[in-house]
Amino acid sequence: MRPVLDSDLLRTFVAVAETGNFTRAAEKAGRTQSAVSMQMKKLEDMVGDNLFERGSRGVALTRRGGELIANARRIVSLLDETAASLVAPPLGGLVRIGIPAEYGRSILSRALGEFAKRHPRVEVTVRYAHSDSQVRALAAGELDLAVVFEWEGSSGGEVLMHDPTVWVTSTLHRMHEERPVPIALYSRNGWCRDFAIKSLQQRGLDYRVAYTSDTNGGLTLAVTSGLAIAPISRSNIPADCRELTAADGFGDIDSSNVVLHRNPLVSGEAIDGMENAIREAFMLTRQTGASVGMAER
């Protein structure tokens, strides 16, 4: 007979898979750890196979668990979407968002996907630009919400994530071993001069600027192609690349926070809803350790 899957078991399964830990999943689900363990044992009995590999650092999905997780996420998402549609009337209006381009795919797409399902009548405009430009646009009344990087104290916004910038090299090309070391930088001078170049000078590292770009994608290309090393936020390191640590003679460039600001002169349920959606998307990223695009300063 086919197993009749319980949506509550699937929701707990998703929580365990995303946190990699029964204790954190229990906290997220509002249950005890023993209750979560019993639920997962019941689900494994229904499926007829192990869903997790247990280890000293937590749990990881087995092959069977990996086959189940995509459908489980889809079911849970559909249930949440349906529940939200029953209690929340659809919103309308305009929301103007400023956000670094690297968070467009991983963070904003997640936020917009959930938000658009609940509120299809809201018109959303997105502005991708570096942080200084977003702050000016917010002050000028051109944006309702702005997600920016801050690395010098707090400006009163809501910290969504701590994301320091580090030097990154390709594991295939190892350009960090060359002297002078070739580096890729943004075309804008302020942040690069005050933080990136200063970090090299403080460590006595000879360097040459091999590549400049206006976009974060350009710096990613420089690293992955083996042209140079580049400053990239720690959460955003591309595949086949790694952080250059103190053991390599490098170290952190800055100590950036990702901060959400709202225009104090605007109001409305659509803006409230989008603000919550962005906050929740970053929260999920922190919980799952999901990779995000490369940081543009």
Side-chain angles (χ1 to χ4, degrees):
M1 294 180 59
R2 290 182 180 179
V4 179
L5 297 178
D6 186 312
S7 62
D8 193 42
L9 297 182
L10 294 179
R11 186 179 296 277
T12 303
F13 170 64
V14 171
V16 175
E18 290 183 343
T19 60
N21 185 284
F22 276 36
T23 300
R24 289 198 296 270
E27 294 172 354
K28 184 176 181 180
R31 291 184 170 88
T32 64
Q33 181 177 341
S34 60
V36 169
S37 298
M38 291 176 61
Q39 281 190 306
M40 292 303 92
K41 179 63 170 60
K42 181 178 180 181
L43 183 59
E44 288 178 328
D45 290 343
M46 295 174 67
V47 173
D49 204 348
N50 292 330
L51 299 175
F52 297 101
E53 293 178 352
R54 277 75 169 175
S56 59
R57 296 187 176 181
V59 297
L61 290 174
T62 62
R63 181 188 61 80
R64 192 77 174 99
E67 294 172 351
L68 178 60
I69 189 62
N71 284 332
R73 284 192 176 116
R74 188 158 58 244
I75 291 168
V76 170
S77 177
L78 183 59
L79 288 171
D80 289 343
E81 176 190 339
T82 302
S85 68
L86 295 175
V87 299
L91 302 178
L94 171 67
V95 180
R96 303 166 299 170
I97 305 168
I99 194 169
E102 61 272 29
Y103 291 124
R105 183 177 63 180
S106 59
I107 297 293
L108 192 57
S109 63
R110 178 182 295 158
L112 291 178
E114 294 301 317
F115 185 83
K117 292 174 185 176
R118 302 176 190 177
H119 310 296
R121 289 189 239 162
V122 174
E123 178 185 349
V124 179
T125 64
V126 180
R127 184 179 189 271
Y128 295 112
H130 59 89
S131 296
D132 289 343
S133 176
Q134 304 284 32
V135 170
R136 290 194 297 270
L138 189 73
E142 299 169 2
L143 294 174
D144 303 312
L145 301 168
V147 176
V148 301
F149 292 102
E150 295 181 1
W151 47 86
E152 292 182 309
S154 173
S155 62
E158 177 184 352
V159 176
L160 299 171
M161 186 167 66
H162 179 61
D163 204 7
T165 309
V166 298
W167 287 104
V168 172
T169 187
S170 165
T171 56
L172 303 177
H173 302 287
R174 303 177 64 86
M175 297 305 291
H176 63 283
E177 296 178 352
E178 292 194 7
R179 292 295 182 272
V181 61
I183 64 174
L185 296 175
Y186 288 110
S187 302
R188 300 178 297 277
N189 287 327
W191 180 84
C192 291
R193 181 183 63 250
D194 295 341
F195 290 91
I197 291 178
K198 184 178 180 181
S199 74
L200 298 176
Q201 294 172 338
Q202 288 175 333
R203 293 172 174 85
L205 290 168
D206 292 331
Y207 67 91
R208 64 179 179 86
V209 178
Y211 184 93
T212 59
S213 174
D214 285 334
T215 67
N216 58 281
L219 297 195
T220 301
L221 177 63
V223 175
T224 56
S225 64
L227 182 61
I229 67 171
I232 300 175
S233 57
R234 182 171 287 147
S235 67
N236 313 329
I237 297 174
D240 296 323
C241 296
R242 71 172 180 88
E243 172 184 348
L244 291 168
T245 66
D248 300 298
F250 293 79
D252 292 3
I253 295 173
D254 68 15
S255 185
S256 298
N257 285 323
V258 184
V259 181
L260 174 64
H261 290 273
R262 176 168 175 164
N263 187 334
L265 301 180
V266 300
S267 61
E269 292 183 348
I271 299 173
D272 293 342
M274 183 58 70
E275 182 178 4
N276 289 331
I278 292 173
R279 182 182 297 112
E280 290 171 3
F282 271 98
M283 183 181 301
L284 183 58
T285 296
R286 295 198 310 270
Q287 291 173 345
T288 60
S291 175
V292 291
M294 201 196 74
E296 176 182 350
R297 294 300 191 266

